Amino acid sequence: MDTSDPFDFLLDLERRCEANAAGLPTLDNLEEGWVGIGFRIGADRLIAPMHEIEEILDLPEFTNVPGVKSWMVGVANVRGGLLPLMDLRGFILGEDIKQRKKGRVIVIDYKGFNTGLIVEEVFGMKHFLTKDQSDDIPDVHQNVSKYVDMAFNQEGNTWPVFSFRNMTQDERLAQASL
């Protein structure tokens, strides 16, 4: 083939690329995956389903709200919208995060409104194979255990799966005022 003509050169290039291209993986070799966000409440390292989380933020400046329980931290202006902030450790364990300013905010949908949950630490996105799912849940704080119904095992570590969806069904969450 004469490759001095630009069109012939492109045809030759396409032919060589197709001849050396690797095939796409077949669906037979595809393993089902599960993705979550790792975080910590007290001493418990947990993972939450990715689809239950809207976003993760650094702790924004906030205004305290008077007349509410200690775990209701305040309200922040995030991109022009009000974001209620809640201390997740305070709500679940009854003891506020000691170094709250170093915490991170996991934003969830609570009854159609974004709500920020301050946690002590976020470990980032974790990927698991669904075959590594286990109903054998490791010991977690008794107040955390009611929101955990499965776990994942990975590289010798067990990650209990915390459900924010189940937590939002807790009637105590709607009773933030004193």
Side-chain angles (χ1 to χ4, degrees):
M1 175 177 279
D2 179 20
T3 57
S4 61
D5 178 42
F7 185 73
D8 288 338
F9 175 76
L10 290 174
L11 286 175
D12 182 52
L13 182 62
E14 178 185 32
R15 180 190 56 74
R16 287 185 289 148
C17 286
E18 287 177 352
N20 294 316
L24 294 172
T26 63
L27 290 177
D28 297 342
N29 298 336
L30 209 57
E31 293 191 51
E32 289 290 317
W34 189 94
V35 180
I37 299 291
F39 65 99
R40 183 169 60 89
I41 300 174
D44 295 323
R45 290 174 18 134
L46 307 162
I47 191 99
M50 186 72 161
H51 66 271
E52 292 185 6
I53 297 173
E54 300 294 319
E55 66 180 310
I56 298 173
L57 307 169
D58 289 327
L59 183 63
E61 294 288 325
F62 60 88
T63 302
N64 292 323
V65 178
V68 294
K69 296 194 174 151
S70 66
W71 49 263
M72 189 64 206
V73 174
V75 180
N77 180 343
V78 177
R79 292 183 294 282
L82 291 180
L83 181 69
L85 294 173
M86 188 178 110
D87 183 328
L88 192 58
R89 179 179 176 150
F91 174 71
I92 293 178
L93 302 182
E95 51 192 60
D96 294 343
I97 296 173
K98 291 178 180 40
Q99 296 184 4
R100 191 178 284 157
K101 296 270 187 218
K102 293 183 179 181
R104 299 290 305 273
V105 179
I106 296 176
V107 180
I108 63 167
D109 181 345
Y110 175 60
K111 297 185 177 184
F113 296 97
N114 281 347
T115 301
L117 307 173
I118 303 170
V119 297
E120 293 156 279
E121 191 173 3
V122 171
F123 303 114
M125 194 181 292
K126 300 285 184 192
H127 297 266
F128 302 93
L129 297 176
T130 52
K131 69 177 183 157
D132 294 332
Q133 181 178 336
S134 171
D135 293 329
D136 186 24
I137 300 167
D139 288 334
V140 292
H141 191 281
Q142 66 183 12
N143 293 355
V144 172
S145 66
K146 59 184 161 186
Y147 307 117
V148 174
D149 56 5
M150 68 176 189
F152 281 96
N153 297 311
Q154 184 182 67
E155 299 172 358
N157 294 317
T158 302
W159 290 87
V161 177
F162 184 92
S163 174
F164 288 119
R165 185 165 292 148
N166 289 348
M167 186 196 75
T168 61
Q169 303 304 313
D170 190 328
E171 62 187 47
R172 294 181 309 129
L173 199 58
Q175 300 169 1
S177 63
L178 292 175

